[in-house]
Amino acid sequence: MTPIVAAHREAPGVESVFREVYGQAVATLVRLFGDLTLAEDAVQEAFVVANDRWRSDGIPPNPAGWIVTTARNRAIDNLRRSARGRELHETVASRRRGADADDWGEDGSVSDDQLRLIFTCCHPALRTEHQVALTLRLLGGLSVDEVARSFLVSESAMAKRLVRAKYKIKAAKIPYRVPAEADLPERLRSVLSVIYLIYNTGVDDPERASLRSDAIRLARALVVLVPDEPEAPGLLALMLLSEARVPARTTEGALVLLRDQDRTKWDRTMIEEGHAIVRTCIRRDQPGPFQLQAAIQAVHCDADSFDATDWHQIVALYDHLFSIMPTPVVALNRAIAIGVTEGPGAALSALDAIAPDLDSYHLMHAARGTTLRRLGQRDAASAAYERAAHLAPTEADRRFLAQQIEELAEDS
């Protein structure tokens, strides 16, 4: 079915309502019917009806409730034509409260529905790409075409991916529920990681830039859904502080290093919100990986210049982060910070220790190139930059690395 956001001549305001309530409505319909495809189709049909009626009647006072009630009635009409219709109709009737417009949001059921759905989308039995696609489709309100374009695949390929994911949920009998308390921290990490992966997919790639705002929107919703989990606001703060610096990261399509960025282009409103969240996390004193990464970004955003940054604090935060998340990428970022506080020799030693683990990661070779250049080892630096350029995922990265190689040649 053609999504309302792509329909011709949408009624004023329908697209914004679609983005706001699509995931909520699908989540409620999934609770009522226990069928992802039926829920999706019914909500899509409801928005098609809304597009016609709201153009003449205007948007109702409670558009979310209107969509849920209309979608539920459409789903029931569809089920009545099937062999299972009577049985499911009786089940839905017994659950009717919570889906009516007048009850929308008053008993917490909408938040519960969304929370159950996001844990279903991010179930560990699903492949990561399926988790991401389902999360964007069902909770982010993106059309199949929009999800496909975000990941640079055809619409038909993405449609097949989504069908496979929904079949896996059904075949594996993945429950539509919040995990038990003992399993919640581990499963929540999966949800947070999927949202952060969505954000990072939109970094430095103009064709996928909208994914960053989608990820931030999902993170805001998750903070509301799990207010007692400190890592959820930690992730939100991390993305806000990263997003605040995006306008200064490139100039005419070319990458600009942190040292050279025009900090007047940084979004101070986002930075202030991110700082406020980080301060709240610090007061909670339950540090986790996303909170520590947000704290590192907060230190960067607090400085007026590269040289004025408290790099010793950044190294200390990376030490703490590495103690609870000892990954090669964390070690790489720590090594880069050490290069500022202790010099390129110490940085090179730290980079060489992790180089075998990150041989296929372009940023590791780029960091080695910069460090070797600071040590005056131009040939080795050029070789490192060339390796990084070969592995670089975007044209902007490759142009930047080519520029470094040219500058080395001019210096020799």
Side-chain angles (χ1 to χ4, degrees):
M1 178 173 295
T2 302
I4 194 68
V5 293
H8 182 59
R9 292 182 60 202
E10 299 92 342
V14 174
E15 184 172 346
S16 62
V17 172
F18 184 96
R19 287 292 200 211
E20 181 181 350
V21 309
Y22 180 85
Q24 301 172 8
V26 169
T28 297
L29 269 289
V30 171
R31 169 170 57 82
L32 290 172
F33 297 100
D35 188 313
L36 283 172
T37 300
L38 178 66
E40 274 193 279
D41 290 347
V43 172
Q44 289 279 3
E45 288 181 21
F47 271 103
V48 171
V49 174
N51 193 47
D52 291 334
R53 293 190 183 175
W54 295 359
R55 183 179 291 112
S56 58
D57 300 343
I59 295 178
N62 184 1
W66 192 100
I67 290 294
V68 168
T69 299
T70 303
R72 185 199 63 218
N73 293 337
R74 287 284 171 141
I76 291 172
D77 289 342
N78 292 336
L79 284 171
R80 283 173 176 158
R81 294 190 289 270
S82 72
R84 297 172 58 235
R86 184 178 299 278
E87 176 186 350
L88 283 175
H89 179 267
E90 292 174 355
T91 300
V92 170
S94 69
R95 300 176 180 175
R96 185 167 181 174
R97 190 181 187 283
D100 287 337
D102 291 341
D103 293 327
W104 181 267
E106 291 183 3
D107 59 1
S109 61
V110 175
S111 294
D112 293 342
D113 290 342
Q114 287 182 281
L115 192 56
R116 283 189 286 266
L117 184 56
I118 196 169
F119 276 107
T120 300
C121 291
C122 299
H123 194 278
L126 298 175
R127 294 165 57 180
T128 299
E129 61 265 33
H130 291 170
Q131 294 177 2
V132 172
L134 275 178
T135 300
L136 286 172
R137 175 76 182 116
L138 299 181
L139 286 146
L142 274 67
S143 68
V144 176
D145 179 56
E146 286 176 311
V147 179
R149 284 189 279 111
S150 295
F151 289 93
L152 307 182
V153 299
S154 68
E155 183 174 359
S156 61
M158 181 54 67
K160 291 177 182 177
R161 183 180 298 182
L162 289 165
V163 168
R164 286 194 296 269
K166 287 185 282 188
Y167 176 79
K168 176 69 173 181
I169 288 172
K170 187 173 183 178
K173 298 182 179 179
I174 292 174
Y176 174 64
R177 62 174 176 82
V178 176
E181 186 174 353
D183 299 326
L184 185 58
E186 182 63 32
R187 290 287 306 281
L188 182 62
R189 279 194 287 271
S190 176
V191 171
L192 294 169
S193 296
V194 165
I195 294 176
Y196 194 40
L197 178 59
I198 291 170
Y199 178 84
N200 281 324
T201 302
V203 173
D204 296 331
D205 190 338
E207 293 188 52
R208 309 185 189 191
S210 63
L211 288 177
R212 301 198 309 270
S213 58
D214 291 321
I216 290 172
R217 181 161 49 86
L218 287 168
R220 289 191 187 280
L222 194 61
V223 168
V224 174
L225 295 172
V226 285
D228 296 327
E229 293 293 335
E231 279 288 82
L235 172 63
L236 176 58
L238 171 60
M239 292 192 295
L240 288 171
L241 293 167
S242 298
E243 187 68 12
R245 292 158 49 189
V246 166
R249 285 173 57 88
T250 59
T251 298
E252 297 180 352
L255 291 180
V256 180
L257 294 179
L258 178 61
R259 179 187 293 276
D260 302 320
Q261 287 179 13
D262 180 356
R263 300 188 178 215
T264 63
K265 293 182 179 180
W266 290 2
D267 189 318
R268 302 314 305 183
T269 300
M270 279 191 178
I271 289 173
E272 289 172 5
E273 183 181 2
H275 277 164
I277 296 172
V278 169
R279 287 193 293 270
T280 300
C281 290
I282 291 172
R283 288 195 294 270
R284 275 182 162 176
D285 196 24
Q286 296 176 276
F290 286 112
Q291 294 174 81
L292 289 168
Q293 291 175 80
I296 291 167
Q297 294 298 323
V299 175
H300 281 300
C301 292
D302 195 42
D304 293 331
S305 67
F306 183 90
D307 292 332
T309 303
D310 189 344
W311 286 98
H312 290 283
Q313 186 179 4
I314 288 176
V315 171
L317 286 167
Y318 273 124
D319 287 341
H320 193 172
L321 179 61
F322 189 78
S323 71
I324 61 176
M325 193 171 72
T327 68
V329 173
V330 173
L332 168 63
N333 288 318
R334 179 182 176 277
I336 293 170
I338 286 175
V340 180
T341 60
E342 300 181 28
L348 186 61
S349 297
L351 289 169
D352 286 344
I354 60 173
D357 296 321
L358 295 174
D359 187 56
S360 61
Y361 190 42
H362 78 288
L363 291 179
M364 191 279 292
H365 294 285
R368 286 193 82 253
T370 299
T371 303
L372 289 164
R373 184 178 184 179
R374 292 178 62 196
L375 289 168
Q377 301 180 34
R378 286 194 290 269
D379 291 342
S382 182
Y385 281 137
E386 288 174 358
R387 173 67 173 157
H390 176 72
L391 296 168
T394 70
E395 183 59 33
D397 286 313
R398 289 187 286 273
R399 284 200 301 269
F400 171 80
L401 292 162
Q403 180 184 349
Q404 306 311 303
I405 295 169
E406 290 177 6
E407 290 177 359
L408 278 170
E410 292 172 358
D411 292 342
S412 60

